Amino acid sequence: MSQLEHFPVVIIGAGIGGLTLGAFLRRLDIPFVILERAAVLTPAGAGISLAPNCLRSLEQLGLLPYIEARSQELLGIKVYRGHDSWGTIDFGLAKSWFGYNVHSVERHDFHRALYEAAGGTETVRLGRAVEDVIDEENGKSAVHVKCADGTMVTADVVVGADGIRSATRRALAKASGLDATNTITFTGRVHMSGYTKPLEHLSNTDLGMGHWVLYDDATFTTWPCQDNRQWFIGVKRADLAPGETPDRSVWKGATPDTVNDVYGGRFHPFGKNGTVKAVVDEAERVVASNVFEETDFPRMAKGRVALLGDAAHSMTSFFGQGACQAIEDATVLADHVAAFLQGNRSALESYARIRERRAKEVADFSSAYARLHTAKLPLGTGPLSRYLIYRWAPSSAWMWYLQWLYGHQPVSKALDARRAAQPGGK
């Protein structure tokens, strides 16, 4: 029998979290491989929000200039209730409060930058769908990672960054004597999103302006992207038969008509004729998906296996924190993987303790904010609560509240120390 290929670290999943971890490990000179189930990396999703809480770590990786050159800073959010304006939230204040503004960028463009930062084809192996992770409790042999094609690799540490239906998480549950299923639930909401061409009828004064448009039965959001492109997201209740529960996230064959059938005739201030359809018809890409969220938060590490991102704490996309939390996870985990490989056997458990509480807080906030934004609060208080906050809360109050979220900006201490020790301290 031939000897199995061995790596100090195996990362399962080449999504945003897995690639961010790879980029940090690469700069720490820790050998790794990323196993990705997809045979080809194709454009997925529409846009992505990069908030201040993840931008500091991305700056540490040297990616901030790339992001700034290809994104649009969020300067304000105009809120509408139907045609009625409720005013503008000055999100440009974020830079003075937190050091960075929120940036909106095309998801695939950002993913490609992370892919290159993590080593590209040198470190990422496509078409490797992982189906099992075997970590013997005595720790005498390496962790075994088995792929669906029959190949197997071994590692000192395995990280599951394989998304909302994580095979790594199922393997951990099975090893712990638990039900080997992912504990996610359908929220009852459908998101329809897309990324447009530059809207040529807009001007420089429109750059950086997002919109929350609130209808009686749905909401429609646009986030500003480079050159007056718009990343739009429509949210509505799912139309399901009694007892029906969807088992997959992404719809197949979504088109602009899919979105326009729901929103097309409704008001949007950036539509050339004042309609959502005028925005959606400029879309270069459209995605529709059922929205799931976590119901039971597992331990984020057990033995020599750790989880990050949606594999551990999937959350609704309200307030755009899913990717940001995966980046936070990867930043913190990089240091703890380095410590583990240097002999600190409790390092992964330490990572879990640090990140579990933070992830739970953000996921709970995301879920609560979804209820506020859609006016679905208990005892019928949603419409009034939403009106009072969106219409009357000053922009500075938003910044003050968001300190717990945006003010938390982890970096890799190991990478800082490594650079300080180099000639010139860089």
Side-chain angles (χ1 to χ4, degrees), residues 34-45:
I34 300 176
L35 305 179
E36 166 56 40
R37 67 179 301 115
V40 179
L41 292 179
T42 57

Side-chain angles (χ1 to χ4, degrees), residues 301-382:
K302 177 178 172 56
R304 295 169 290 174
V305 182
L307 301 174
L308 67 76
D310 282 352
H313 48 68
S314 61
M315 60 188 70
T316 74
S317 59
F318 282 88
F319 231 82
Q321 277 293 308
C324 296
Q325 289 307 300
I327 292 168
E328 281 192 26
D329 287 345
T331 305
V332 175
L333 182 54
D335 282 4
H336 288 80
V337 166
F340 184 91
L341 294 175
Q342 291 168 3
N344 182 352
R345 294 294 130 174
S346 65
L348 298 185
E349 285 294 325
S350 176
Y351 157 76
R353 287 193 299 272
I354 292 170
R355 289 303 303 164
E356 284 168 3
R357 180 177 178 181
R358 167 74 171 172
K360 179 77 163 54
E361 289 175 345
V362 177
D364 288 347
F365 163 72
S366 180
S367 183
Y369 178 73
R371 293 191 293 273
L372 171 68
H373 194 69
T374 56
K376 300 297 182 184
L377 296 176
L379 304 176
T381 61

Side-chain angles (χ1 to χ4, degrees), residues 187-221:
T187 64
R189 294 187 294 269
V190 174
H191 284 197
M192 298 180 179
S193 64
Y195 191 84
T196 74
K197 306 170 187 175
L199 301 188
E200 295 181 355
H201 64 283
L202 300 181
S203 68
N204 287 340
T205 60
D206 298 310
L207 287 169
M209 298 308 300
H211 293 86
W212 293 342
V213 188
L214 314 170
Y215 312 112
D216 289 340
D217 59 343
T219 67
F220 197 85
T221 298

Side-chain angles (χ1 to χ4, degrees), residues 112-134:
R112 173 58 61 175
L114 279 178
Y115 174 78
E116 297 298 337
T121 56
E122 294 180 8
T123 57
V124 181
R125 298 187 181 181
L126 302 177
R128 295 291 188 91
V130 171
E131 61 179 22
D132 202 5
V133 178
I134 305 164

Side-chain angles (χ1 to χ4, degrees), residues 240-267:
L240 300 175
E244 181 184 0
T245 301
D247 60 356
R248 302 303 298 172
S249 296
V250 179
W251 295 14
K252 292 184 178 180
T255 68
D257 286 342
T258 307
V259 185
N260 284 328
D261 285 346
V262 178
Y263 303 98
R266 304 186 193 219
F267 168 74

Side-chain angles (χ1 to χ4, degrees), residues 26-55:
R26 189 174 179 224
R27 284 151 181 77
L28 291 170
D29 284 336
I30 296 174
F32 66 95
V33 68
I34 300 176
L35 305 179
E36 166 56 40
R37 67 179 301 115
V40 179
L41 292 179
T42 57
I48 189 170
S49 287
L50 301 174
N53 53 300
C54 75
L55 284 170

